[in-house]
Amino acid sequence: MNAQLLTRETAAGKLVHGPEVKADGGVTFRLWAPACDRVRVELVDEARLLDMELLSDGWHSVHAPSASGGSRYRFVLPDGLRVPDPASRFQPEDVHGPSRVVDVPSWSWNDTEWRGRPWREAVVYELHVGSFTPEGTFCAAVDKLDHLVSLGVTAIELMPIADFPGRRNWGYDGVLPYAPDSSYGEPEDLKAFVEAAHARDLMVLLDVVYNHFGPDGNYLSLYAPEFFTSRYKTPWGDALNYGHPAVREFIIQNAMYWVRDYHLDGLRLDAVHAIVDDGPTHLLEELTRRVHDAVGDRLVHLILENEHNQSQWLARDAAARPTFYTAQWNDDVHHVLHTAITGEKNGYYAEYCKDTTKLARALSEGFAFQGEPMGYRGTPRGEPSAHLPPKAFVAFLQNHDQIGNRAFGDRLAASVPPEALRAACATYLLLPQIPMLFMGEEWSTRSPFPFFCDFAGELGEAVRKGRREEFAKFPEFQAASRRGQIPDPQADETFASGKLAWNELHHPDQAAWLDWYRRILAARRQWIVPLIDRIHHGCSSTVLAPAAVAVQWQVEDGQELRLDVNLSPEPATLISHPEGDIIWNEGDVGSAGILARWSVRWSIRGT
């Protein structure tokens, strides 16, 4: 391959980063290493070194006729340091070991008729592969898919699986974004999981991290320092340099790779507010266009996490189709529901606690903050969102962050009365926003979901110490003895405590919760899903009392969807008696104009 051809392929967005198995034999290896005038590739199984040709723009390339799928290799820098391929497709010996070539065409897919599912049907289930089952593997997760189908789930969202250091991690410390972590199984096991999900009419989404790399196992700065820029800072250090074409291609090709080579149905982009790109076309815009071009007519959904609440990325065209992104995780819905039933007001919760106006706004319009100053941040936050359809937002009451970032990783069931928890769940599960459950929520599991990792040496000790120090500002953790009770994120037992206890399903209380979730999701499927595409924007809302609101959504054919909810231990007075068909009653919803404590009523008028 000559320099002119390589430049042309890069500009066209074709696969450049990572090894390419040739149909006529051999493997072409490439590495972008602009800081090096010489790079070699080591074929580990042959104990052989090959010199790579220096091409234009910092690229190095060599074709190895003897290599094939399964070959182990690594790059050798001028000083002799051996490093994995940053676009490695698999790391059987973890992040510091050699990479392994994966022959993508050798896998014969049996889901070629799968075209995905429309977003209105989405009921998302977030799970962590390593703690979802006792085995913590893709193969073991297949055995639980029928449970998800019977629950009423239609989409699985995997927490990040990109290769991370050690045996366990949440996934947000990944360093090799193309390689499924070997602790979960082989690449073929992930493909089999996706196939099994599609066979059951389940979508599979993947959480991806494009705002930073983890602290251990990333060698990019040694041979491609241009990958990062000190012009911008993130919570994790220097920002990725998205002004450089090779960096943009590395990330955009990664997004295309997951939906193309693994047949995934969508991606959730982590913390895009930490992605800085001041070029003429923002990375987020180019990425969504390229991904959709890569899959043709197959339905693929791209989801954002965005602390800035930028509704511009959720815009719709004249046909009500997403211009850029399908939806955004709606932290504001979580915050208003959480503070209503817990009364917590530490940190950013203080901005939501006892603010019923924000409760009404988040349920009816999506964002609670739409440009107003946020005291916790010290700056305005958000953009107007009432013009967006409800399905542009993903609503949840629990997720990995909101549980795992608590000191003990405790779930709401550990501190909230069951009737209050059911009222909050009955609110978000039937919203015309898209609901997302966190694994085990459906049976109110007693298992926590603590923060865990497996870093070596000084880094591991620093993480252990830092985890406890970050809670020192909270009143309940002022005493060192109390902070000492916070689980050690490096300990085996901390990880073990977060594994789902499936045997809990034999307990009557947990079985009752599971039955409740199945029934309410069946009600959603029957009543709410048919309305979602016909609700084109936010709606009206009324504050009834502290933590009690009434919300009405207008449907295009004259129907009205109504929610009356009281998330308070005190009764509230209804402004009018609901008319039409009752979809769901939760708690003691009387007929005398009273909305009892912890109660919810959903109704449809004009059916």
Side-chain angles (χ1 to χ4, degrees), residues 381-393:
R381 175 177 175 236
E383 296 174 355
S385 60
H387 62 288
L388 295 172
K391 65 180 179 180
F393 305 95

Side-chain angles (χ1 to χ4, degrees), residues 532-550:
I532 289 177
D533 280 349
R534 296 183 286 133
I535 302 175
H536 300 299
H537 49 73
C539 60
S540 60
S541 61
T542 304
V543 173
L544 304 176
V549 299

Side-chain angles (χ1 to χ4, degrees), residues 231-249:
R231 291 175 59 200
Y232 311 110
K233 297 293 183 181
T234 75
W236 310 280
D238 288 349
L240 272 66
N241 182 17
Y242 284 119
H244 198 294
V247 180
R248 294 176 74 89
E249 280 298 310

Side-chain angles (χ1 to χ4, degrees), residues 118-124 151-154 390-396 425-437 516-533 535 553 561 583-584 602 604:
W119 187 239
R120 67 175 178 273
E121 298 176 355
V123 174
V124 185
L151 172 61
V153 164
T154 62
K391 65 180 179 180
F393 305 95
V394 177
F396 47 87
C425 290
T427 301
Y428 97 86
L429 289 171
L430 294 179
L431 276 180
Q433 298 182 29
I434 300 301
M436 184 179 74
L437 295 70
W516 185 90
Y517 267 82
R518 285 173 173 164
R519 288 187 290 110
I520 198 168
L521 290 178
R524 177 182 182 84
R525 187 166 56 250
Q526 177 183 355
W527 295 98
I528 305 299
V529 170
L531 303 178
I532 289 177
D533 280 349
I535 302 175
W553 291 266
L561 175 66
I583 300 174
W584 192 269
W602 284 94
I604 296 180

Side-chain angles (χ1 to χ4, degrees), residues 111 144 164 169 338 443:
D111 67 348
K144 303 299 183 184
F164 50 76
N169 196 284
H338 181 93
W443 71 78

Side-chain angles (χ1 to χ4, degrees), residues 125-149 151 153 156-159 184 193 202 411 437-443 445 447-449 452 495-496 498-503:
Y125 188 94
E126 187 191 19
L127 67 86
H128 178 267
V129 175
S131 50
F132 182 55
T133 64
E135 301 86 350
T137 64
F138 297 124
C139 290
V142 170
D143 295 334
K144 303 299 183 184
L145 293 179
D146 290 335
H147 164 83
L148 299 183
V149 172
L151 172 61
V153 164
I156 299 163
E157 181 175 316
L158 302 177
M159 288 176 62
Y184 301 150
F193 173 82
L202 291 168
R411 297 175 184 248
L437 295 70
F438 186 66
M439 61 178 195
E441 173 188 336
E442 70 271 24
W443 71 78
T445 181
S447 300
F449 186 72
F452 50 79
F495 175 54
K499 283 185 175 281
L500 283 185
W502 287 88
N503 59 359

Side-chain angles (χ1 to χ4, degrees), residues 240-285:
L240 272 66
N241 182 17
Y242 284 119
H244 198 294
V247 180
R248 294 176 74 89
E249 280 298 310
F250 184 87
I251 294 300
I252 291 172
Q253 290 172 17
N254 180 259
M256 296 165 62
Y257 158 81
W258 286 119
V259 299
R260 182 191 59 223
D261 292 4
Y262 284 91
H263 289 200
L264 294 177
D265 300 285
L267 304 172
R268 180 262 191 186
L269 278 62
D270 177 69
V272 300
H273 51 269
I275 293 175
V276 182
D277 182 8
D278 54 10
T281 302
H282 197 284
L283 173 81
L284 293 180
E285 180 179 344

